[in-house]
Amino acid sequence: MEPEEFVPPPECPVFEPTWEEFEDPLEYIAKIRPIAEKAGICKIRPPVDWQPPFAVEVDNFRFTPRIQRLNELEAETRVKLNYLDQIARFWEIQGSTLKIPNVERKMLDLFTLSKIVTEEGGYEVICKDRRWARVAQRMCYPSGKNIGSLLRSHYERIVYPYELYQSGANLAQCKARPLYDSEEIDKEYKPHSIPLRQSVQPPKTNSYGRRAKRLQADPEPSEEDIEKNPELRKLQIYGAGPKMMGLGLVAKDRNLRRRDKDIPECPPTLIVKDEPMEDIRLEPCTVEFCYDIKEEEEENGENSNTVSTKSTRLRRNAANSQFTRKPVAKAEFFVCRICARSDDDDKLLVCFVCNDTYHIYCLLPPLPEIPRTVWRCPKCVVEECKKPPEAFGFEQATREYTLQSFGEMADTFKSDYFSMPVHMVPTELVEKEFWRLVCSIDEDVTVEYGADIHSKEFGSGFPMKNGKRKLTPEEEEYAICGWNLNVLPVLDQSVLCHINADISGMKVPWLYVGMVFSTFCWHIEDHWSYSINYLHWGEPKTWYGVPSSAAELLEDVMKKLTPELFDSQPDLLHQLVTIMNPNILMSYGVPVFRTNQCAGEFVITFPRAYHSGFNQGYNFAEAVNFCTADWLPAGRRCIDHYRRLRRYCVFSHEELICKMAANPERLDLNLAAVVHKEMLVMVQEERKLRKALLDKGITEAEREAFELLPDDERQCNKCKTTCFLSALACYDCPDALVCLYHIDDLCKCPSNRHYLRYRYTLDELPTMLHKLKVRAESFDIWANKVKFTLEVIDGPKKTLEQLKALQWEAAEKKFPENDLLQQLRNAITEVEKCVSEAQSLVCTKKSSRVRSKLTVEQLKTFLDQIHTLPCIIHQEKDVKDLLESVESFQLLAQEALKVSPPNISDLRDLIEQGDHMVIDVPEMNQLRGQVQQALWLNEMRETLATSSSRHVTLDVMRRLMESGCNVTQNLEVEKAMAELQELLTISERWEEKAQICLEARQKHPPATLEAIIKEAETIPVFLPNILSLKETLLKARAWIADVEEIQNGDHYPCLDDLEGLVAVGRDLPVRMDELHHLEVQVMAAHSWREKACKTFLKKNSCYTLLEVLCPCNNVDSHNIKRARWKKEKDCSLFKSDIESLGLSAQDLREPGSVSLAFKEGEQKEKEYILQLRELNASKSQTSQHNEQQQYCVCGQPSNDLMLQCDLCKDWFHGTCVTYPKLTNQKHSLAWWDWDFRFLCPLCMRSRRPRLATILALLVALQKLPVRLPEGEALQCLTERAITWQDRARQALAVDEVTVLLEKLNELGQQLQNEVTKELVVLKESTRNEDSSQEGSAEGEGTVEDVIATLSDLEVINSYLPRLKGAVIEISESTQQQLEELMMEGDLLEVNLDETHTMWRILQAAGPPPLKTLQKFVEIEKSERKLSKAKGKDSEKKRKRKSERGDYTPTSQEELETKKSRDEPASDSCVKKKAPPATENQVESKEEHL
């Protein structure tokens, strides 16, 4: 059934050496061996910086991998597959193909079924006892489904015939004849000569092995086939020949049956002469056969062979004979092998292989008729099925790879198999899948493994000094490193360095290129040596190891579970072709450990430690063997083991020992000692073997240099051991050679023809042994001296010079580094250190030099250390005297500490005495502590008891607390500390309260502050925050006094004074009710000022409110204003409010000063405007085109569209300023009613609100208890405007002016009527022209509809030629009076209706200004063209954005907001924001906005 999920074994030890430990690899391995060999394997992670370069020439590296079919590697799975091969062969030779049935949707395990049936007693017993349900239960099938009957059916049809033939039950009645005379009965098994039996395709192909074909579905024969083929109906399951179809047995060639009925049957004929009955004699007869030959391709599809199928029948019909009579065989040959009768020849069958004959009814079971296909007798079937399986091994792939091509194949295979990138496949998943595959019979996965690639031929992964190429400095370093696998086996401490030959795989590394699932099976290294594996790069390699202590247990378990494999291959575990699930081994008590070897890590296996594993993916590894001194006993036991297994040796162990013994000076002492022991055992064994030879009577001998002979010429014929010390040979059999363990197996020649071939005599061997002993014992003698010197307890001690002499002896005799030598060095170092320390103590005592002091305990410990030293120190007496003086000082100090109160003078004397001692006495701290206590208490009393305690600060108290904490505590000190802490806590609490009041987070009234200050004055400590709080309270009272003084004055306070008081009051951390009243007054004043600014000032105006309200009385200010517009409101050009009236800040605080200054400014303003008019009049029309002259607010030269201000008479560009637009008015021929009066932005500085608006501001001003300069200036402006309005009304009330106004009204009405009549006529003519298209009903309309059909500019142009004037006459005095009043009214920043009335009269008294009107029209036309062009550009941009998908429609509010943002800062620089000439224009513009 389904195998259990794989459980990973425990992890093996992992070591991470330091750089110091990593320097000597063999020493480090020996260090970790006691821990690591318990697991059999271990992993070593080198230091992080140890990263050898990869030295393989990747482009030239080519190799041919091995092919591995995973489910054939596992031992138990291979046994099952071998069983299936045998049973499939059984049916194949009888013409059928095995198809394994499924039970419970799983392939039936025929091997387990057969094994369980055998264990339960056999087929007959189970059927008799009806125990098939128990068989199903043991195979883990569910109960209650009648699976037992199904298993019986499958067993009867498939397995039982095979088991019957295997047991030979059907041959019980056969008469045997010798057929195996020429065969060897006990054929010797030959290891290392494994034939290849697999025919496996590389993994890239989709073909499967022949075993997998048994799992493919094959259609069952139909009823039609059975009806057409009588053999299928008649044949029984147990007979030889083709079997019944169904449940796993399928005819091998169904087409053969179809073709047979078309071919005429030609049975063989036996011709016998007719003889008299009395002399009956069997004559030789001729047997002829008719063959049906069919060529059938083999399963691998590559080769084909001819399989002859024949059905043979014997006939004794001479009359019908049609063949030549030839005596071929005696008649007795054609007798049934069972009944020994030759009658009934129609029922005789001839075997296809051995030509034996059988009656079809004598067979067991009998056959119903003669088979028509190939038939074999039961004896041949048994012989074929009992052939031993061929030895298992790996086949080389047919394709040669490079590293790149193999990596691509490996990565593709892994990613396709797991359906994910190779680097994302978890190692745990690969491990579980691997063990599932190797234990699966029905899944046939094939991989390739580049194993055992010789580095000597293809190059090592480590840098090598082989002269092939020049190495870099980095490669030089790694080329000589001991961890380089080319260097490690031949290190001086390694045994293999004494072998001259380059043994591939042992002294010379092998390379391994792996892919996922590629496997190295359970094995131990040759000669049970160590092995080390380094993974250069790639994905991890998973290892499993078993310690050497459990090696025999592992072998026993595998032999017990799979005896069939070991019967055919006794040295199976030495072939590296078999694995077994670690979980199975662990279940039988075998300890198994695992690890994942990542790139850059080493894995070491120990002697006789079984190990196996597989690769997680594409990687590159390198491995080699090495042997240390501790391996020699294991190597000797391995030779004995090989001798029992008759396994070849890689090298001669005896030769290795003798070669090391021949040069003992080359060996280090540890290795010499081990070699001596091994040599002693070997000599004793050799003596025993040669004595046995003498006892047998063999006395002939000759010397032989075995090391000069090839290994195959000095191998024992019996056990295959390589001989070196001695061997037995025969004079008559030159090829015969055996070791002395098998002297009885040499040959059958007499013993006097045998002779001994030896390498050394028995006298030479002790000489070699003695040299080793001298080398080894020289160290032992020295070691005994050192041990005796270092371990002496009561005996006489050595001197320091004698210890150094022993150290010198070790260096002289070149003893290796060992623990004893290191102990000697440590002892000498310790003695020298103690001598130096003792001398330092004595010298310091005499010279009183400053040095680090020892404690009394350390001095006692040092004295004890001197007693335990292995040598004599002369300064020991001085150290004892020092200890006695210290102890006497301690007694004096303890008595002084008991005196109460302490005497400071005596304590200081003792402290001074102790400071001069070289030992740190513990009572010194107590002495110093008492002195510190007394001094601190005195300081505290002096600080707090003086009359100047008010000057004690918190820092002084804190310093006293800190110093008190450092003083040794007693009752008096603790009491003083408590008092000081209480005073400090109270002081800090009041300081904290004062600090909270000063931070002004929550202001407190003055009464609260005064209470806090009064309570804090009782604390006798200097409190800075309380003093600050006092100062703050004084400032608050002074501020309140200032507020009361300014509030109780004769006049309202100025806004600046109130703002200053508010700013000071806000900064004070005191809550004052007066501050809120002042803030309310200041806010009301600011609110009134903001309202006035909104009333008068234009948006983004460059004037202040006071500057607008005051008269402009400086001629140069006009140029300053022009500069303001030009510089775009440069802050450095602004005039302050003080400069506007020529008053200082103090003058502004005086009541009435603003009114007087305003009156003076009015007169100066009139003079200023007259001077300015005179100055601007010099800019004549001829000079307008002068390029040197600057005009307008922009300061540029003039052009044809220049406008002249009606007030200052200066010239401005029509495109730079705001002008009265004629198209926004209602036009008639009464041109004097047109509003085309133009005032420049320099003359019209404000919005000029109406007088009623100003009066409302004055009413709000009267409610303020604050004086504002702007308010007084506004009062003056209002008085000036009212005065001017009275004068203007008086001038307009004159009779002359009244008559003129009435006349202008009448003329205006007349001209309006004329225009109305003209428009009616125009309307009628237009109606007649369009009557055919429109209807008479649509003709109804107003005059305005007709006007709307015409352009506004066209209407104005049509009016200009018809304008007439002057229409009235006015006296010169009246005109002069009106003009003077008109000028004064324009200077006012107030909008008055009388101004417009005067302007109408003055305009009607003169001719119409056609040039000026024409300029207005032209300017407006140019503006419209410019706007239209801009509109088209913006429309094009919008369309382009829409095509790109970037355009988003903008709402009307966003457009208006953007328009307001795009307006320039200066009202005069862009005409849209320039001030209008009249109030009507201002109002119309505001409505428009």
Side-chain angles (χ1 to χ4, degrees), residues 693-832:
L693 201 63
L694 289 174
D695 294 341
K696 194 177 180 182
I698 300 174
T699 58
E700 295 295 329
E702 66 178 31
R703 186 183 292 271
E704 180 70 59
F706 283 101
E707 67 271 16
L708 302 179
L709 297 177
D711 286 351
D712 55 354
E713 293 183 11
R714 52 174 175 150
Q715 289 172 348
C716 175
N717 294 341
K718 182 67 176 178
C719 63
K720 310 305 178 186
T721 302
T722 303
C723 300
F724 178 74
L725 282 180
S726 59
L728 186 64
C730 180
Y731 291 116
D732 298 333
C733 304
D735 295 333
L737 183 74
V738 294
C739 65
L740 298 190
Y741 288 95
H742 301 97
I743 57 178
D744 296 331
D745 299 322
L746 177 61
C747 63
K748 298 181 179 180
C749 299
S751 59
N752 59 359
R753 300 302 298 166
H754 296 171
Y755 67 98
L756 175 69
R757 298 169 67 180
Y758 65 92
R759 180 63 181 86
Y760 298 106
T761 65
L762 292 179
D763 295 334
E764 293 173 341
L765 291 176
T767 304
M768 298 171 61
L769 193 61
H770 178 70
K771 292 181 181 180
L772 283 173
K773 183 178 180 181
V774 171
R775 174 63 176 164
E777 289 183 352
S778 63
F779 174 78
D780 293 338
I781 295 172
W782 174 87
N784 291 332
K785 291 180 183 179
V786 174
K787 289 179 181 178
F788 178 78
T789 302
L790 297 180
E791 296 175 1
V792 64
I793 300 176
D794 297 331
K797 296 182 178 180
K798 303 290 184 180
T799 62
L800 179 60
E801 290 73 14
Q802 291 175 328
L803 293 180
K804 290 184 177 180
L806 289 174
Q807 184 181 7
W808 177 85
E809 181 183 356
E812 180 68 19
K813 295 184 178 180
K814 298 182 180 179
F815 291 155
E817 292 292 331
N818 55 80
D819 296 339
L820 202 57
L821 179 58
Q822 187 62 39
Q823 292 176 14
L824 179 61
R825 289 173 181 166
N826 294 339
I828 293 173
T829 303
E830 186 179 2
V831 172
E832 291 177 342

Side-chain angles (χ1 to χ4, degrees), residues 1035-1261:
K1035 291 180 181 179
R1037 289 172 177 171
W1039 185 87
I1040 293 173
D1042 293 340
V1043 171
E1044 292 177 353
E1045 180 182 357
I1046 198 173
Q1047 291 286 0
N1048 298 329
D1050 296 335
H1051 304 284
Y1052 286 145
C1054 293
L1055 179 61
D1056 295 341
D1057 296 339
L1058 292 182
E1059 288 178 341
L1061 287 173
V1062 169
V1064 173
R1066 286 175 177 172
D1067 293 338
L1068 291 176
V1070 183
R1071 188 174 67 192
M1072 298 172 290
D1073 298 334
E1074 295 82 356
L1075 178 62
H1076 177 68
H1077 299 304
L1078 292 183
E1079 288 176 344
V1080 171
Q1081 294 176 6
V1082 171
M1083 289 177 60
H1086 281 290
S1087 176
W1088 183 89
R1089 180 184 285 174
E1090 291 177 2
K1091 187 174 181 181
C1093 289
K1094 291 181 180 179
T1095 303
F1096 280 91
L1097 298 184
K1098 303 174 185 177
K1099 187 177 181 181
N1100 299 326
S1101 175
C1102 61
Y1103 300 101
T1104 64
L1105 178 60
L1106 186 59
E1107 189 177 4
V1108 168
L1109 297 177
C1110 293
C1112 183
N1113 53 15
N1114 190 358
V1115 179
D1116 296 332
S1117 63
H1118 199 75
N1119 296 328
I1120 294 175
K1121 295 176 183 177
R1122 190 188 305 276
R1124 288 186 182 180
W1125 294 105
K1126 185 176 181 181
K1127 299 293 184 181
E1128 297 183 357
K1129 297 165 54 174
D1130 188 348
C1131 295
S1132 63
L1133 297 177
F1134 272 86
K1135 291 173 63 179
S1136 65
D1137 294 343
I1138 298 175
E1139 294 176 354
S1140 300
L1141 296 174
L1143 299 176
S1144 63
Q1146 186 61 33
D1147 294 338
L1148 290 177
R1149 290 183 172 85
E1150 294 294 332
S1153 60
V1154 176
S1155 300
L1156 294 176
F1158 194 90
K1159 296 297 183 182
E1160 295 177 359
E1162 289 182 11
Q1163 187 62 32
K1164 291 181 180 180
E1165 186 179 26
K1166 294 179 182 179
E1167 298 175 358
Y1168 149 71
I1169 196 63
L1170 293 176
Q1171 294 177 6
L1172 185 60
R1173 283 189 171 194
E1174 183 179 357
L1175 180 63
N1176 292 333
S1178 61
K1179 299 179 181 180
S1180 61
Q1181 186 67 26
T1182 58
S1183 64
Q1184 289 182 6
H1185 300 283
N1186 187 1
E1187 295 181 358
Q1188 301 298 329
Q1189 186 69 40
Q1190 293 185 355
Y1191 296 89
C1192 192
V1193 293
C1194 63
Q1196 300 296 326
S1198 64
N1199 56 22
D1200 294 336
L1201 301 178
M1202 300 293 291
L1203 300 176
Q1204 189 177 26
C1205 178
D1206 291 335
L1207 181 58
C1208 66
K1209 303 302 181 182
D1210 199 358
W1211 295 91
F1212 296 86
H1213 297 111
T1215 57
C1216 293
V1217 296
T1218 300
Y1219 58 91
K1221 292 188 177 182
L1222 302 179
T1223 55
N1224 293 337
Q1225 305 175 26
K1226 186 176 181 180
H1227 302 288
S1228 65
L1229 294 178
W1231 53 271
W1232 52 88
D1233 289 331
W1234 294 5
D1235 188 6
F1236 56 88
R1237 187 161 65 102
F1238 169 66
L1239 293 180
C1240 68
L1242 302 181
C1243 294
M1244 190 173 180
R1245 297 173 295 171
S1246 68
R1247 295 179 181 270
R1248 294 198 175 186
R1250 300 184 66 82
L1251 188 59
T1253 305
I1254 296 174
L1255 293 175
L1257 286 174
L1258 288 177
V1259 172
L1261 179 63

Side-chain angles (χ1 to χ4, degrees), residues 190-257:
K190 294 183 179 180
H192 293 286
S193 181
I194 303 173
L196 301 175
R197 72 166 182 149
Q198 293 188 17
S199 179
V200 187
Q201 297 296 331
K204 285 191 175 182
T205 63
N206 292 326
S207 63
Y208 297 90
R210 57 188 175 86
R211 289 171 172 168
K213 291 184 177 180
R214 295 196 294 267
L215 310 179
Q216 298 176 356
D218 203 348
E220 296 288 340
S222 62
E223 296 182 358
E224 182 181 358
D225 294 334
I226 297 175
E227 291 296 331
K228 293 180 180 179
N229 193 342
E231 295 181 7
L232 298 180
R233 298 195 312 268
K234 298 177 181 179
L235 289 182
Q236 300 297 325
I237 186 64
Y238 299 126
K243 301 302 167 202
M244 182 183 296
M245 298 298 157
L247 291 179
L249 300 179
V250 183
K252 188 169 184 180
D253 194 344
R254 297 175 60 188
N255 295 327
L256 181 64
R257 300 193 300 269

Side-chain angles (χ1 to χ4, degrees), residues 544-580:
Y544 303 96
V546 174
S548 59
S549 59
E552 294 183 359
L553 179 59
L554 179 141
E555 295 171 356
D556 295 340
V557 171
M558 293 189 69
K559 290 178 182 178
K560 175 183 178 182
L561 296 178
T562 57
E564 300 87 353
L565 299 181
F566 287 90
D567 291 343
S568 59
Q569 283 182 277
D571 62 345
L572 179 65
L573 292 177
H574 294 279
Q575 308 306 320
L576 284 81
V577 294
T578 305
I579 59 175
M580 181 170 281

Side-chain angles (χ1 to χ4, degrees), residues 1012-1051:
I1012 292 174
I1013 293 171
K1014 186 175 181 181
E1015 293 182 11
E1017 286 178 349
T1018 60
I1019 301 174
V1021 181
F1022 177 75
L1023 303 177
N1025 288 342
I1026 295 295
L1027 295 179
S1028 300
L1029 196 60
K1030 282 183 181 181
E1031 296 177 0
T1032 301
L1033 185 59
L1034 293 175
K1035 291 180 181 179
R1037 289 172 177 171
W1039 185 87
I1040 293 173
D1042 293 340
V1043 171
E1044 292 177 353
E1045 180 182 357
I1046 198 173
Q1047 291 286 0
N1048 298 329
D1050 296 335
H1051 304 284

